[in-house]
Amino acid sequence: MKRLLQRALEVKLDHLDNYVHLRGLIEYGNVCEKNCLYCGLRSGNDRVARYCLSDEEVLSCARLAHELGYGSVALQSGERSDPAFIDKIEQLVREIKKIDGGSLGITLSLGEQSEETYRRWFEAGAHRYLLRIESSTEELYYQIHPKNGRHDFHRRLECLETLKRLGYQTGTGVMVGLPGQTLDHLTDDLLFFKRMDVAMVGLGPYIPHPDTPLWRLRDRIPSASERMDLTLKMIAILRIMMPEINMVAATANQTVDPQGREKAIAAGANVIMPNLTPGEYRESYFIYPDKACVKDRPDQCKNCLDIRLAAIGHKILYNAWGDSLAFTKKK
Ligand code: SAH
Ligand code: SF4
């Protein structure tokens, strides 16, 4: 493992240098039409207080991202497909683009949508989209999602194809350490990322949530440290396979290991998404328990990241979009 991580770091430094890109994460809302069996935002969970940020709250987060020099924001939420939501996101993307003449890059992570919706958001100014496949094995996908029209493996694949065709830098990813997940599944996931030729990948350990159906299988998953190690191996192998993609060091890494995000960066990841969601809403964006940094203020977060990354020989590239080199080169 030591040699694998060492090699992955060498490959990353050769291709991408020691820069880390930031996306200020805005958790727009936790209303969700889906019912994924692992996630605390699932529609069937009535133990979470639902919220949606106001326009002004979103825009002040974006202005803060700009002031802090983050260069990009990522807007994420539960999945909604109602016209009011679609219009609102389009309008917010346009407003964010007006900040300092379009200096902020915009990543969206708002689930499965129609081609028309993706196109509208792209034309409004969003240029990156994250939609994890969660598992590239159809059988496992249906073990972690209810099998109904709302959760359709093939629709998710089609969404990824559509996003690519529309010109988004498209990102996907999986959770690592799911009940029923084998090393063969994870190997297939890596080959899937390569075959799909994606621009970005986000990988993170699965974290059991008590108010979800998968909680009852929590004894059948690897331990937290095993899930962390598996995630690091996935990141490292993928960095060697796809040297120029952007790879996120997911916050979930830090939940299973206090140094998880730095370890992910040292294993080959090059993007971090510091949370900018206003404090009072953070605990309601309860995707999984014990989320790291929930109580940190954005300025504390920035200092903390600078120090932690310097300690492992990396530095943040401020005031830049930090696009995926794999994508920009192809273009
Ligand atoms: N609704 C959107 C975006 C929000 S969810 C979507 O589903 O695409 C963002 C990610 O959180 C999901 O893709 C999933 O991989 C991750 N997630 C959800 N529940 C989790 C859990 N219990 N442990 C770890 N990651 C989880
Ligand atoms: Fe909703 Fe996304 Fe959570 Fe699934 S993973 S329940 S789509 S927020």
Side-chain angles (χ1 to χ4, degrees), residues 111-323:
E112 292 165 34
Q113 304 288 342
S114 69
E115 174 165 351
E116 174 60 16
T117 301
Y118 285 147
R119 180 177 296 113
R120 281 174 57 189
W121 292 347
F122 187 76
E123 284 170 1
H127 64 130
R128 294 187 286 244
Y129 204 103
L130 287 172
L131 183 72
R132 285 185 177 179
I133 191 73
E134 315 296 1
S135 168
S136 66
T137 304
E138 185 168 357
E139 196 190 344
L140 181 59
Y141 183 88
Y142 286 119
Q143 282 167 26
I144 58 169
H145 297 97
K147 202 166 186 177
N148 61 33
R150 271 205 192 286
H151 304 80
D152 181 334
F153 179 72
H154 292 281
R155 171 148 199 257
R156 211 160 175 89
L157 285 178
E158 275 164 28
C159 284
L160 285 170
E161 294 290 359
T162 305
L163 288 162
K164 274 175 64 182
R165 183 161 27 85
L166 289 174
Y168 280 97
Q169 282 175 58
T170 303
T172 192
V174 296
M175 285 173 285
V176 179
L178 288 161
Q181 190 180 46
T182 63
L183 291 182
D184 278 349
H185 291 136
L186 291 171
T187 314
D188 284 343
D189 292 336
L190 294 172
L191 294 170
F192 170 80
F193 303 146
K194 179 88 180 167
R195 196 167 61 243
M196 287 288 288
D197 194 19
V198 287
M200 321 183 289
V201 170
L203 294 166
Y206 160 64
I207 299 165
H209 185 309
D211 301 323
T212 62
L214 279 197
W215 176 251
R216 66 187 167 78
L217 300 181
R218 66 191 178 286
D219 296 336
R220 297 198 208 157
I221 59 168
S223 70
S225 69
E226 286 165 338
R227 276 175 283 145
M228 183 75 219
D229 282 356
L230 266 178
T231 303
L232 294 176
K233 287 181 196 168
M234 290 283 285
I235 291 174
I237 296 171
L238 191 61
R239 176 54 72 202
I240 297 167
M241 289 169 71
M242 302 181 79
E244 295 182 340
I245 61 168
N246 273 355
M247 236 194 289
V248 187
T251 312
N253 288 305
Q254 207 174 335
T255 298
V256 294
D257 179 330
Q259 251 107 53
R261 273 195 310 194
E262 296 91 291
K263 287 185 182 171
I265 293 289
N270 67 328
V271 173
I272 290 183
M273 298 168 66
N275 199 336
L276 290 180
T277 312
E280 65 265 40
Y281 301 108
R282 289 203 191 171
E283 288 184 17
S284 298
Y285 201 78
F286 190 20
I287 291 187
Y288 52 78
D290 304 321
K291 239 165 82 184
C293 303
V294 165
K295 297 203 163 61
D296 294 2
R297 288 197 325 265
D299 53 332
Q300 293 171 326
C301 211
K302 184 178 170 201
N303 289 338
C304 164
L305 280 175
D306 275 328
I307 295 165
R308 282 169 179 249
L309 290 172
I312 53 164
H314 281 66
K315 55 177 179 269
I316 294 170
L317 189 65
Y318 285 106
N319 302 304
W321 285 6
D323 282 337

